[in-house]
Amino acid sequence: MKVAETMVQIPLDIEKIRLDFPILHTTVNGKPLVYFDNGATTQKPLAVTRAIETYYNTYNSNVHRGVHTLSQKATMAYEEARTTVAGFINAQPEELIFTKGTTDAINLLAYTFGKKFIKEGDEIIISAMEHHSNIVPWQLCCEERKAVLKVVPINENGELLMDEFERMLSDKTKLVAITYVSNTMGTINPVRDIIRLAHARKVPVMLDAAQAVQHIAVDVKELDVDFMAFSGHKLYGPTGIGALYGKLSWLEQLPPYQGGGDMIKTVSFDKTVYADPPLRFEAGTPNIAGAIGMAAGVKYIIGIGLDKIATTERILTEYALERLSSIDGLRLIGMAEHRGPTFSFVIGNSHPTDVGELLDQQGIAVRTGHHCTQPLMDRYCIPGTARASLSFYNTPEEIERLVDGINKAMKLLKR
Amino acid sequence: MTIKESQDKIIDDFALFEEWSDKYEHIIQMGEDLPAMDPKYKVDENLIRGCQSKVWLHAEFKDGLLHFTADSDAQITKGLVALVVSAVSGHTPADIADTDFYFINAIGLTGHLSQTRAGGLASMVKQIKMYALGYKVQQAQKN
């Protein structure tokens, strides 16, 4: 596939879209920036930074507690943001809890669900490709409740062994918590099958959708998923904001997570009556600007169209796969049939940090290390990888720069 | 060569390179020239904290002088530790403890290194100083 040919197939005017992202026109180490660390965080369009600026400059105020105009305006914007983000995944606003991010959302669920539903000898199922945020909270939960954490293994291509998963499901299973898309390998998991199999045993499922919602249209009703966690900053919004979706019937049963303002109905020293979901889980002053920014990110994506984003990213993925495979000695970690635009690789015996640093010298930003998936690195017996994760604002020319950059780095590293 | 002379030589060497790639090539070469570390010293106790890649540093005290050997699983890191070690190895603990590693700034490495790498370099220097101070105190107690 040639660059020109690829550009013809892409349904988006990438150059026009790139104008929305000032950072994409900056230089790093004297070279035009190539940003391929979108799996860690995406860049922010002007629509997002302006929404945050407008909030702070024109109606900054606390929410849910003031009768004055600014507070009412802020409350309205905050709750509108909830409606927007909920609508994006086809959820009701009361089913969407704003959190600090995916990690916070999973911790919230692990704590509250564990407290209410997990007892000694129960089992929770995760997978071998989870990032630490979807491992450690469940480990903490299992330790506290004397429950057992089960891990679905993967094959060499980085795909879940679904037979093993089916075998693991039992009457002891109380929850399945699995990632929708692997942050390291880009594997898209068969979440429909996972949910169907779990539900057949009346086991609820939580999806970690941090690497999914920006690439794939996700409809929680259609999926019939029970809980879902995702972040604002990987969705072209700001950091420090994310969401936990939960079916209302589940959320209503969960106890509060943290105590403090906004999560109560009434407080007396004898008894506190907690607010209904989602406010029950949003103690203290929330990240108002974050929620408004996240909603602006979501609106931006909706404006472009997730179908066009998905098609663009699929074409870029195919192009990157072909070009990266042409590099001598480059080994892709994870070759799942269904995959997103994320490529983890090792080259010969080179250390990923060496590769990453030499790419950085050429203005190319990739992630290096274990990507907070240490068990997965152990699975492949590698210290880490270099990871290039693409977004719809990346171009085939940038993929060419990556390939050239890797070749140049390899010449220096000579092994 | 005194420690100061070693550092000045490193600075002179780097002054020859204009391209970032030449600087890195030189660093990687320094790593390749670093004498091999005895595998028995490549243990967790000798690992330096604060490095993304693994760095082992071992100190040996002989005839009043402190000798360092080091290794890393990453080539650039190995080159960096080689630079630091080559500047001070074979000197007295007192001299090493008093050393200001001015060459690091002078060769413009800090500007080029990633934050994590720069942190790792600082950890190497700190560990070298810790060894030197330890032996310096030991010597003082003996005298």
Side-chain angles (χ1 to χ4, degrees):
Chain A
M1 210 186 316
K2 299 260 159 47
V3 168
E5 190 187 318
T6 310
M7 286 305 266
V8 173
Q9 302 170 16
I10 290 172
L12 293 174
D13 184 348
I14 299 186
E15 285 312 316
K16 190 163 160 265
I17 280 170
R18 288 173 73 86
L19 296 175
D20 296 334
F21 297 84
I23 204 168
L24 298 179
H25 305 278
T26 58
T27 58
V28 165
N29 292 319
K31 314 276 180 352
L33 168 69
V34 172
Y35 187 77
F36 279 155
D37 196 15
N38 297 290
T41 196
T42 51
Q43 298 302 343
K44 316 308 169 199
L46 287 166
V48 167
T49 52
R50 280 183 186 145
I52 296 167
E53 201 183 336
T54 304
Y55 162 69
Y56 278 125
N57 287 345
T58 66
Y59 61 101
N60 169 51
S61 188
N62 213 326
V63 294
H64 299 148
R65 58 195 70 173
V67 292
H68 62 83
T69 306
L70 288 192
S71 176
Q72 287 185 32
K73 201 173 167 188
T75 302
M76 197 109 85
Y78 181 73
E79 289 306 326
E80 264 176 30
R82 193 193 305 280
T83 306
T84 302
V85 176
F88 179 60
I89 56 165
N90 196 24
Q92 298 305 311
E94 57 270 28
E95 295 174 315
L96 192 112
I97 303 159
F98 276 125
T99 63
K100 286 187 283 182
T102 302
T103 302
D104 189 36
I106 297 174
N107 274 281
L108 189 164
L109 185 66
Y111 179 85
T112 56
F113 190 92
K115 206 168 169 188
K116 177 83 182 187
F117 294 109
I118 307 289
K119 51 184 199 311
E120 192 170 343
D122 284 348
E123 294 175 358
I124 294 171
I125 296 179
I126 62 169
S127 89
M129 68 172 86
E130 301 309 317
H131 67 145
H132 298 166
S133 297
N134 200 30
I135 302 173
V136 185
W138 303 115
Q139 276 176 335
L140 289 168
C141 172
C142 286
E143 213 168 285
E144 159 112 15
R145 318 298 305 176
K146 297 190 176 65
V148 182
L149 193 64
K150 296 255 172 169
V151 183
V152 184
I154 56 172
N155 65 19
E156 190 63 23
N157 282 342
E159 296 162 322
L160 289 177
L161 297 180
M162 289 298 285
D163 302 354
E164 296 280 333
F165 170 64
E166 226 178 315
R167 257 197 292 278
M168 271 179 200
L169 278 168
S170 76
D171 294 341
K172 287 181 181 170
T173 314
K174 288 293 174 301
L175 185 78
V176 174
I178 280 183
T179 192
Y180 198 139
V181 177
S182 157
N183 72 318
T184 304
M185 305 179 294
T187 309
I188 299 175
N189 285 321
V191 294
R192 281 179 179 76
D193 296 339
I194 290 169
I195 293 165
R196 182 177 48 79
L197 290 166
H199 282 183
R201 286 188 169 268
K202 300 203 174 358
V203 176
V205 175
M206 186 217 72
L207 289 181
D208 172 353
Q211 301 288 345
V213 284
Q214 65 277 52
H215 303 300
I216 308 167
V218 177
D219 180 328
V220 290
K221 292 274 183 317
E222 189 248 320
L223 281 178
D224 196 26
V225 69
D226 303 277
F227 302 100
M228 194 170 85
F230 55 106
S231 293
H233 73 100
K234 296 187 204 291
L235 202 48
Y236 306 92
T239 54
I241 186 81
L244 176 69
Y245 158 80
K247 281 181 184 166
L248 201 57
S249 53
W250 279 113
L251 293 185
E252 279 168 344
Q253 297 179 67
L254 298 180
Y257 179 40
Q258 291 170 332
D262 246 13
M263 52 76 73
I264 47 89
K265 259 183 190 151
T266 56
V267 177
S268 74
F269 286 113
D270 297 326
K271 175 141 185 81
T272 293
V273 180
Y274 305 116
D276 294 328
L279 292 188
R280 184 190 303 166
F281 306 101
E282 292 181 8
T285 297
N287 185 352
I288 306 162
I292 290 167
M294 184 175 182
V298 162
K299 279 183 189 160
Y300 180 78
I301 286 179
I302 293 171
I304 291 177
L306 255 178
D307 51 338
K308 284 184 184 161
I309 287 175
T311 308
T312 301
E313 290 178 344
R314 189 173 46 74
I315 292 167
L316 289 174
T317 300
E318 279 170 28
Y319 189 72
L321 261 180
E322 187 190 304
R323 295 298 292 127
L324 287 172
S325 308
S326 75
I327 298 174
D328 254 359
L330 185 140
R331 174 185 167 211
L332 279 167
I333 301 298
M335 287 295 279
E337 201 185 326
H338 298 287
R339 69 174 307 150
T342 296
F343 305 92
S344 262
F345 53 88
V346 288
I347 315 167
N349 295 319
S350 295
H351 199 283
T353 57
D354 285 340
V355 176
E357 186 159 342
L358 296 175
L359 287 174
D360 179 56
Q361 288 302 317
Q362 302 171 74
I364 304 163
V366 298
R367 175 78 184 274
T368 56
H370 51 61
H371 317 296
C372 295
T373 53
Q374 274 183 7
L376 187 63
M377 299 296 111
D378 295 343
R379 160 75 175 72
Y380 285 102
C381 301
I382 47 176
T385 70
R387 181 188 71 180
S389 44
L390 282 50
S391 157
F392 61 89
Y393 51 53
N394 290 125
T395 65
E397 284 85 357
E398 288 182 315
I399 293 169
E400 285 305 316
R401 283 220 13 227
L402 173 68
V403 172
D404 291 347
I406 292 172
N407 283 327
K408 192 160 187 182
M410 292 327 293
K411 225 175 260 169
L412 282 169
L413 296 169
K414 290 183 207 113
R415 67 177 196 188
Chain B
M1 224 187 309
T2 64
I3 294 177
K4 186 179 177 307
E5 283 164 350
S6 295
Q7 294 205 64
D8 290 342
K9 184 174 180 311
I10 294 172
I11 295 168
D12 288 345
D13 287 347
F14 269 89
L16 297 172
F17 307 123
E18 280 179 16
E19 287 283 317
W20 67 267
S21 52
D22 295 332
K23 283 189 186 184
Y24 274 93
E25 199 165 7
H26 184 62
I27 292 170
I28 291 165
Q29 192 58 49
M30 289 291 296
E32 281 172 13
D33 295 343
L34 185 71
M37 187 182 206
D38 192 327
K40 73 178 175 194
Y41 296 130
K42 282 169 83 168
V43 288
D44 283 356
E45 298 91 83
N46 282 339
L47 270 177
I48 296 178
R49 284 167 199 273
C51 294
Q52 253 202 5
S53 40
K54 287 183 176 172
V55 178
W56 296 269
L57 182 74
H58 174 70
E60 207 168 331
F61 188 57
K62 220 167 120 188
D63 305 328
L65 302 178
L66 201 48
H67 300 269
F68 292 100
T69 49
D71 201 358
S72 171
D73 59 347
Q75 285 169 279
I76 297 171
T77 315
K78 191 174 175 184
L80 292 174
V81 77
L83 275 175
V84 178
V85 163
S86 74
V88 295
S89 201
H91 291 273
T92 64
D95 281 349
I96 298 170
D98 290 341
T99 295
D100 166 21
F101 287 81
Y102 60 87
F103 84 90
I104 294 173
N105 274 326
I107 59 176
L109 263 186
T110 34
H112 268 290
L113 288 179
S114 59
Q115 202 61 41
T116 41
R117 273 276 156 81
L121 197 58
S123 304
M124 291 175 206
V125 167
K126 196 172 149 198
Q127 194 59 39
I128 282 176
K129 290 221 168 192
M130 292 289 280
Y131 276 125
L133 276 172
Y135 283 106
K136 187 180 159 183
V137 171
Q138 240 180 51
Q139 274 187 306
Q141 283 170 346
K142 273 186 195 159
N143 291 337

